[in-house]
Structure formats: C-alpha cells, structure tokens
C-alpha cells in the first residue's frame, strides 16, 4: 500500500493501541503520584479502592491485546495486511514490551521509595519516556510515515524484514 493510499480510518485504528498503552502506563504510575501528593487518609483509601478495581479487573487486558494483535495482524494467514499496518502493530508490540520492562525495573528499584521525591522523580522520568515515544509514534502514523526508534525498530525488522523503501 503506497503512502498516499493510507486512509484516515487506518491511521486512526493504528493509533488506538498506542493510546491504550499510554493510558495503561499512566494508570500504573498513578499510585506514585498519589502517595506523593495526597495528604488525607480518606483520599488515599478512595484512590486505593479505584486502583484495586483496575488492577484486579483489567490487569491482563494489555496482554490480551498484545496476543490478539500479534496473532490477528502480524502473523495472520487469513487476511493479508499491508506492511505499514504490520510494521506499526509490531512496533507497538515491541514498544509495549519495552514499557513493561521499564515499569518493572522502576518498581523493583523504587519499591521502598514510592512516597519520596526519588520515587516521584523516577516515575516522572519513566512516564515521560513512555509518553514521548508513544506520541512520536502517533505523530508518525498520522503523517503516514514509519517510526524509527533505535533498538526497537531493529527488533521490528527482525520479525518483519525491511520493506519500508518498497512501500513509500
């Protein structure tokens, strides 16, 4: 599919996983911000109840989305998707794995410091990296271009091969 034939609907649908991943990461880092800014126990307990509902009911949703996108689009043998679609879906999947790794490292390194300025600054740095990468991908999709992120793009090309020049 040539760059000019990429529809607005296709671009919109490709942006949705990035937005979902971004929201998921914001929710995951939210307790650190609460611990540093909520002063009353009542507010803390209310926020804790909301986060427990999310954690117990939706914690596997990103992983189900990951599996569905990989099997349904990247490795689909029922319908052939364009290289542009496969590339950006695979980029999201690798980026999702990177986000999970970054979050897990943060939690393990900062577990005892969540309610300190160290934990807060670590959360801000990690969340900023995730947000900037996701926003860059969203902008590139909206412009109909391929995103190039060092190491992450290399992992995508290992799975799909490099047909970016043929597709532009």
């Amino acid at each position: 599919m040539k760059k000019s034939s990429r529809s607005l609907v296709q671009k919109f649908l490709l942006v949705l996983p990035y937005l979902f991943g971004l929201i998921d990461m914001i929710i995951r880092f939210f307790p650190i911000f609460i611990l540093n800014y909520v002063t009353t126990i009542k507010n803390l307990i209310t926020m804790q109840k909301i986060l427990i509902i999310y954690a117990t009911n939706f914690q596997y949703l990103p992983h189900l989305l990951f599996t569905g996108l990989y099997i349904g689009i990247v490795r689909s043998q029922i319908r052939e998707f364009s290289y542009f679609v496969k590339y950006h879906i695979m980029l999201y999947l690798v980026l999702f794995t990177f986000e999970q790794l970054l979050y897990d490292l943060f939690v393990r390194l900062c577990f005892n410091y969540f309610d300190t300025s160290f934990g807060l600054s670590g959360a801000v740095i990690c969340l900023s990296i995730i947000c900037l990468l996701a926003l860059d991908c969203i902008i590139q999709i909206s412009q109909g271009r391929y995103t190039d992120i060092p190491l992450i793009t290399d992992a995508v090309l290992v799975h799909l091969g490099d047909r970016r020049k043929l597709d532009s």
Side-chain angles (χ1 to χ4, degrees):
M1 177 182 297
K2 299 295 181 204
K3 186 188 285 190
S4 60
S5 65
R6 294 181 186 129
S7 71
L8 188 60
V9 173
Q10 185 183 43
K11 291 177 185 178
F12 175 75
L13 292 174
L14 284 173
V15 165
L16 290 179
Y18 291 101
L19 290 175
F20 176 78
L22 190 60
I23 292 167
D24 179 56
M25 282 293 129
I26 289 170
I27 290 171
R28 287 176 189 252
F29 280 102
F30 196 63
I32 291 88
F33 295 105
I34 291 172
L35 287 172
N36 282 278
Y37 290 113
V38 173
T39 55
T40 66
I41 298 296
K42 182 180 177 184
N43 288 341
L44 187 60
I45 291 171
T46 304
M47 290 296 180
Q48 183 181 14
K49 287 179 184 177
I50 293 169
L51 291 170
I52 288 172
I53 290 170
Y54 173 78
T56 55
N57 295 320
F58 302 110
Q59 65 180 336
Y60 298 111
L61 194 57
H63 303 287
L64 293 173
L65 177 66
F66 180 99
T67 305
L69 288 173
Y70 186 76
I71 293 170
I73 294 178
V74 176
R75 294 293 178 205
S76 175
Q77 295 182 2
I78 298 170
R79 179 169 184 250
E80 184 62 31
F81 291 91
S82 71
Y83 183 76
F84 183 75
V85 170
K86 285 185 175 185
Y87 179 89
H88 279 287
I89 292 298
M90 193 65 207
L91 187 77
Y92 165 73
L93 298 177
V94 175
L95 194 59
F96 171 78
T97 304
F98 170 74
E99 290 172 352
Q100 293 296 317
L101 176 66
L102 189 63
Y103 177 74
D104 288 346
L105 287 173
F106 167 78
V107 168
R108 279 158 181 63
L109 292 174
C110 297
F111 183 75
N112 292 322
Y113 307 103
F114 280 162
D115 58 345
T116 66
S117 59
F118 175 73
L120 181 62
S121 58
V124 167
I125 290 169
C126 290
L127 196 54
S128 297
I129 291 169
I130 291 167
C131 288
L132 290 173
L133 287 173
L135 290 175
D136 179 48
C137 292
I138 290 169
I139 290 168
Q140 296 298 327
I141 288 172
S142 67
Q143 295 175 348
R145 298 190 308 206
Y146 291 96
T147 305
D148 191 17
I149 303 169
L151 298 175
I152 293 175
T153 300
D154 295 339
V156 170
L157 297 179
V158 165
H159 286 275
L160 299 177
D162 193 358
R163 292 188 282 163
R164 294 177 289 178
K165 300 280 188 219
L166 302 172
D167 193 42
S168 53

